[in-house]
């Protein structure tokens, strides 16, 4: 494929049933593709090594091969489709739900793409997001990590396979994490306490782009899980934007499902205004979007934790001092619903606060901001006023001899 490029991609012409006998790692280690000469000129030799018992039960490797001439009529015509997987974690990790997004034409018979992907696992179910100009994004949801992808052409004929290699889990690193969430109107900050240390959480989102297209960044942020939570080219770790996208999904009254109907949105650095499908002011808008954003945030942090073999996460969060009692209750209920939804995707134990109570899980932004200076920076709040300037409110706390005198929001 990709005949217009100097380096071509060769799809291994292997029957997908091979995945019933070999893992993707086995396939990659046994499969060889090398240049050769055929009766029709230059070609590719595809060989696959098998281990047989051999003489006197001495294991022997036998290579089965076939030579294919390179012919222009065998080049797949059409665009390379976007294919991406989240999260790229092994089945034996603490994760249990996987999503595969595949770009397709609405009408396969008239597809502008070089190939499509068959149902990745036996229990997969799909959902369709509407794209632009006759394009859709089919999102497959599975209980197992897809080991190999079976590729088909416009007629539905098999072309070959793509084996997917999964990363290793960092076993035994840190059993329990405490995540602190500064949930702001414009930006959300994440901190983690683990193994006696506290630090900013640098979130790895574990998105694997299986194909490489020029539109990957935009497609990830519009229709799937972003490759990065922030977009600066200098490698810094600024806070993530408090934004949600519902692009491609139909509007409903219930909370939009994670990935198939809503995702965290990462804006481009030059993005000055947002389309209608990007939801902002999430703390102050419809409860369903608050639930959806918290669910997405918890799931992405939990996948990052699963990669590090974390068994339990305790969540703590701040809220605006301006919240009325009813709004605090709504906020707490939203967290409880989001944690319940996240429990369906992994076996990580999710806790809200040290004892599950609102008093141990939540703190006003004015007090949380002051506690950071006292606990992390060692500041003595003797005669001190702390001002947290946010995107929606500014929260103020006044302290005397390390005791809170007054707090308010503007």
């Amino acid at each position: 494929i990709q005949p217009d490029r100097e380096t071509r991609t060769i799809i291994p012409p292997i029957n997908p049933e091979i995945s019933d006998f070999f893992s993707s790692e086995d396939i990659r280690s046994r499969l060889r593709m090398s240049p050769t000469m055929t009766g029709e000129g230059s070609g590719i030799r595809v060989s696959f090594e098998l281990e047989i018992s051999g003489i006197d039960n001495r294991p022997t490797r036998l290579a089965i091969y076939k030579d294919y001439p390179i012919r222009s009529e065998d080049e797949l015509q059409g665009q390379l489709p976007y294919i991406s997987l989240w999260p790229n974690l092994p089945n034996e990790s603490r994760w249990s739900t996987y999503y595969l997004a595949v770009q397709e034409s609405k009408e396969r018979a008239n597809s502008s793409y070089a190939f499509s992907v068959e149902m990745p696992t036996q229990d997969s179910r799909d959902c369709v997001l509407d794209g632009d100009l006759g394009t859709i994004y089919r999102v497959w949801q599975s209980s197992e990590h897809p080991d190999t992808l079976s590729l088909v052409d416009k007629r539905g004929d098999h072309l070959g396979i793509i084996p997917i290699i999964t990363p290793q889990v960092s076993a035994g690193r840190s059993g329990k994490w405490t995540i602190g969430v500064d949930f702001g109107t414009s930006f959300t900050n994440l901190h983690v306490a683990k193994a006696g240390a506290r630090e900013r959480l640098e979130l790895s989102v574990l998105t694997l782009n299986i194909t490489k297209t020029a539109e990957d960044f935009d497609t990830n942020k519009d229709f799937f899980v972003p490759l990065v939570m922030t977009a600066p080219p200098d490698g810094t770790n600024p806070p993530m934007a408090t934004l949600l996208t519902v692009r491609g999904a139909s509007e409903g009254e219930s909370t939009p499902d994670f990935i198939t109907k809503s995702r965290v949105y990462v804006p481009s650095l030059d993005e000055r205004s947002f389309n209608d499908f990007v939801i902002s002011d999430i703390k102050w808008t419809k409860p369903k979007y608050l639930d959806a954003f918290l669910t997405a945030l918890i799931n992405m942090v939990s996948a990052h934790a699963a990669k590090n073999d974390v068994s339990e996460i305790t969540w703590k969060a701040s809220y605006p001092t301006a919240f009325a009692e009813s709004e605090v209750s709504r906020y707490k209920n939203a967290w409880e619903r989001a944690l319940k939804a996240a429990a369906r995707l992994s076996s990580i134990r999710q806790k809200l606060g040290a004892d599950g109570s609102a008093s141990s899980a939540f703190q006003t932004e004015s007090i949380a901001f002051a506690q950071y200076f006292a606990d992390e920076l060692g500041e003595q709040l003797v005669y001190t006023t702390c001002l947290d300037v946010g995107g929606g409110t500014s929260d103020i706390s006044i302290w005397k001899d390390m005791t809170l005198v007054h707090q308010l929001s503007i």
Side-chain angles (χ1 to χ4, degrees):
I1 62 174
Q2 300 166 299
D4 56 328
R5 300 187 182 183
E6 292 184 6
T7 302
R8 296 180 179 180
T9 299
I10 307 295
I11 296 175
I14 304 294
N15 192 308
E17 291 182 4
I18 197 172
S19 60
D20 294 338
F21 306 95
F22 300 96
S23 68
S24 59
E25 286 83 359
D26 285 335
I27 294 172
R28 286 203 174 213
S29 67
R30 296 170 183 270
L31 181 65
R32 298 287 184 273
M33 292 191 291
S34 56
T36 190
M37 292 300 298
T38 71
E40 300 179 43
S42 298
I44 296 292
R45 172 166 293 184
V46 180
S47 61
F48 193 84
E49 288 189 346
L50 296 174
E51 192 172 84
I52 59 177
S53 59
I55 302 174
D56 299 329
N57 291 323
R58 288 179 296 180
T60 303
R61 282 212 165 193
L62 174 68
I64 301 172
Y65 70 89
K66 184 175 180 179
D67 295 338
Y68 294 86
I70 297 178
R71 299 179 299 201
S72 59
E73 57 265 32
D74 291 332
E75 292 177 347
L76 295 178
Q77 303 300 316
Q79 304 175 53
L80 191 64
Y82 166 90
I83 304 176
S84 191
L85 172 72
W86 185 89
N88 192 28
L89 289 171
N91 287 320
E92 61 268 20
S93 66
R94 301 180 185 274
W95 204 257
S96 59
T97 306
Y98 301 85
Y99 298 86
L100 181 78
V102 182
Q103 187 180 29
E104 300 178 0
S105 292
K106 288 185 178 180
E107 298 181 11
R108 175 175 285 185
N110 298 317
S111 177
S112 60
Y113 297 102
F115 55 82
S116 188
V117 176
E118 287 195 308
M119 186 170 67
T121 64
Q122 291 184 348
D123 71 336
S124 297
R125 61 183 188 274
D126 66 332
C127 176
V128 173
L129 299 175
D130 289 326
D132 298 322
L133 302 174
T135 296
I136 62 171
Y137 293 88
R138 190 177 303 279
V139 180
W140 295 98
Q141 184 175 345
S142 310
S143 62
E144 295 181 353
H145 184 285
D147 206 37
T148 59
L149 299 183
S150 173
L151 308 184
V152 295
D153 61 16
K154 299 175 184 180
R155 300 184 301 272
D157 296 333
H158 288 289
L159 295 172
I161 63 170
I162 298 178
I164 303 174
I165 302 299
T166 57
Q168 297 296 314
V169 170
S170 304
R173 272 194 173 185
S174 178
K176 297 180 180 180
W177 282 3
T178 297
I179 301 293
V181 182
D182 174 20
F183 181 33
T185 302
S186 302
F187 297 98
T188 295
N189 285 281
L190 300 172
H191 276 72
V192 58
K194 55 181 179 179
R198 288 182 288 192
E199 60 190 37
R200 281 279 304 279
L201 179 64
E202 189 167 352
L203 190 60
S204 60
V205 293
L206 304 174
T207 302
L208 174 65
N209 279 8
I210 297 169
T211 54
K212 303 295 183 183
T213 69
E215 299 80 20
D216 275 356
F217 178 82
D218 288 335
T219 305
N220 276 107
K221 73 187 184 73
D222 285 340
F223 295 99
F224 202 49
V225 182
L227 281 171
V228 291
M229 295 311 300
T230 51
D234 58 1
T236 56
N237 182 27
M240 60 181 289
T242 307
L243 296 171
L244 190 76
T245 177
V246 293
R247 186 172 185 183
S250 56
E251 179 74 13
E253 294 300 320
S254 59
T255 299
D257 294 334
F258 175 57
I259 290 188
T260 57
K261 292 186 181 295
S262 64
R263 295 139 324 259
V264 167
Y265 186 77
V266 177
S268 304
L269 293 179
D270 58 353
E271 206 164 343
R272 296 292 178 260
S273 60
F274 301 120
N275 291 295
D276 292 341
F277 51 75
V278 177
I279 311 300
S280 59
D281 295 327
I282 292 172
K283 282 199 299 189
W284 313 93
T285 187
K286 297 178 181 178
K288 66 178 182 179
Y289 294 133
L290 174 61
D291 285 17
F293 180 83
L294 292 179
T295 299
L297 177 66
I298 291 168
N299 285 336
M300 288 190 292
V301 172
S302 297
H304 178 72
K307 183 183 177 183
N308 291 275
D309 200 28
V310 173
S311 60
E312 180 180 291
I313 300 177
T314 299
W315 295 86
K316 297 185 177 183
S318 61
Y319 62 89
T321 310
F323 267 9
E325 186 175 341
S326 60
E327 291 174 309
V328 175
S329 177
R330 177 179 69 90
Y331 186 54
K332 178 178 183 294
N333 291 338
W335 269 97
E336 289 176 341
R337 289 190 296 268
L339 289 171
K340 186 176 180 180
R344 295 194 289 266
L345 271 64
S346 77
S347 62
I348 296 175
R349 185 186 178 199
Q350 310 280 357
K351 291 174 56 181
L352 190 58
D355 57 7
S357 66
S359 59
S360 66
F362 301 112
Q363 189 58 272
T364 62
E365 291 172 357
S366 58
I367 293 179
F369 182 68
Q371 284 182 332
Y372 172 80
F373 279 93
D375 297 343
E376 295 296 316
L377 302 182
E379 297 288 342
Q380 298 297 310
L381 306 182
V382 181
Y383 291 98
T384 307
T385 298
C386 295
L387 174 62
D388 177 13
V389 180
T393 62
S394 291
D395 292 79
I396 303 171
S397 61
I398 302 173
W399 300 79
K400 179 182 178 182
D401 296 330
M402 303 294 288
T403 301
L404 179 67
V405 175
H406 188 61
Q407 61 176 316
L408 70 155
S409 281
I410 300 176

